Amino acid sequence: DQQVKQNSPSLSVQEGRISILNCDYTNSMFDYFLWYKKYPAEGPTFLISISSIKDKNEDGRFTVFLNKSAKHLSLHIVPSQPGDSAVYFCAASPGSADGLTFGKGTHLIIQP
Amino acid sequence: NAGVTQTPKFRILKIGQSMTLQCTQDMNHNYMYWYRQDPGMGLKLIYYSVGAGITDKGEVPNGYNVSRSTTEDFPLRLELAAPSQTSVYFCASSYSMAYEQYFGPGTRLTVT
């Protein structure tokens, strides 16, 4: 039973355009959401997060949107750059010490 | 500041052998976690610790053991290795519960 779902295994975007990565969750207890970026043979790197009391958080080229009623969040990258090519994981937490629940990841490929 | 370090980077085990995956963090984080990532999947929590002397099971603890005698170290022990334990193992730590976690580079383990 997947509590965090990333339904697009891969996404190809042209350099300079907007990349939109989507994530859905089923557990109503989740109140904190994170995006991680992962390059091959490296550990995941924290990118951006959002608390359930907000609907948007922005950090430079990265913006995360949260729609609690739809149990949906998205990561926008504008403009997309070649170095953004990586696997992006959506993760969620109920605000306890139990660790994060991860989606399966979306492989973002930025085309020149 | 090295962050989270893991050793070894790679290991091949025969079925039935045992080994310990090492994890050390130098950020004075109380919370530490072990995850495994199977191909095409998200990370799954094996064990976690909220402080020295305190550990608890995650989603997939069978076949593993942990200990936490110091704040810095959180080793993961595999007893009687099985092919199903072939995976990439990530250690992570965080300052506060379940928020931004910092990951090590991973240990790629193959059991044959």
Side-chain angles (χ1 to χ4, degrees):
Chain A
D1 176 31
Q2 260 193 289
Q3 297 187 64
V4 177
K5 299 178 186 178
Q6 294 178 256
N7 291 320
S8 299
S10 67
L11 175 67
S12 185
V13 174
Q14 208 165 9
E15 182 179 354
R17 306 292 288 265
I18 182 171
S19 295
I20 300 176
L21 293 89
N22 293 304
C23 178
D24 298 295
Y25 62 96
T26 58
N27 188 339
S28 301
M29 299 301 292
F30 289 146
D31 71 350
Y32 197 75
F33 304 89
L34 307 91
W35 284 94
Y36 280 84
K37 177 179 180 179
K38 186 182 180 305
Y39 292 119
E42 294 184 10
T45 302
F46 170 73
L47 199 55
I48 192 168
S49 62
I50 188 166
S51 164
S52 60
I53 62 173
K54 294 186 173 182
D55 55 18
K56 177 182 173 181
N57 189 26
E58 203 168 345
D59 184 2
R61 296 185 299 115
F62 303 93
T63 303
V64 56
F65 295 92
L66 175 63
N67 182 333
K68 281 184 63 180
S69 61
K71 292 191 175 70
H72 177 83
L73 61 153
S74 61
L75 174 68
H76 293 209
I77 306 173
V78 183
S80 300
Q81 299 175 353
D84 296 331
S85 293
V87 176
Y88 289 78
F89 290 99
C90 172
S93 165
S96 66
D98 298 3
L100 299 171
T101 300
F102 283 83
K104 291 185 178 182
T106 296
H107 186 194
L108 176 64
I109 301 160
I110 305 301
Q111 306 275 13
Chain B
N1 236 3
V4 180
T5 57
Q6 292 182 239
T7 57
K9 283 188 171 22
F10 305 94
R11 184 73 186 267
I12 298 174
L13 279 183
K14 293 190 188 310
I15 294 171
Q17 286 185 321
S18 300
M19 77 163 292
T20 299
L21 282 66
Q22 301 291 346
C23 175
T24 300
Q25 54 93 7
D26 62 1
M27 296 174 282
N28 203 32
H29 287 168
N30 282 326
Y31 298 82
M32 294 189 75
Y33 307 84
W34 274 106
Y35 294 89
R36 60 177 285 174
Q37 185 191 14
D38 300 327
M41 303 294 286
L43 284 71
K44 293 194 175 180
L45 185 66
I46 306 171
Y47 269 95
Y48 66 97
S49 169
V50 302
I54 307 169
T55 63
D56 208 344
K57 296 178 181 178
E59 184 184 353
V60 290
N62 291 344
Y64 307 95
N65 275 302
V66 293
S67 59
R68 183 99 182 267
S69 56
T70 67
T71 299
E72 294 77 22
D73 300 305
F74 190 39
L76 177 72
R77 177 90 179 149
L78 277 73
E79 306 280 1
L80 298 174
S84 61
Q85 293 178 305
T86 293
S87 191
V88 182
Y89 292 83
F90 292 102
C91 179
S93 72
S94 66
Y95 175 73
S96 60
M97 61 182 182
Y99 294 134
E100 292 83 10
Q101 295 183 12
Y102 296 87
F103 284 80
T107 294
R108 183 174 294 274
L109 176 68
T110 302
V111 181
T112 61

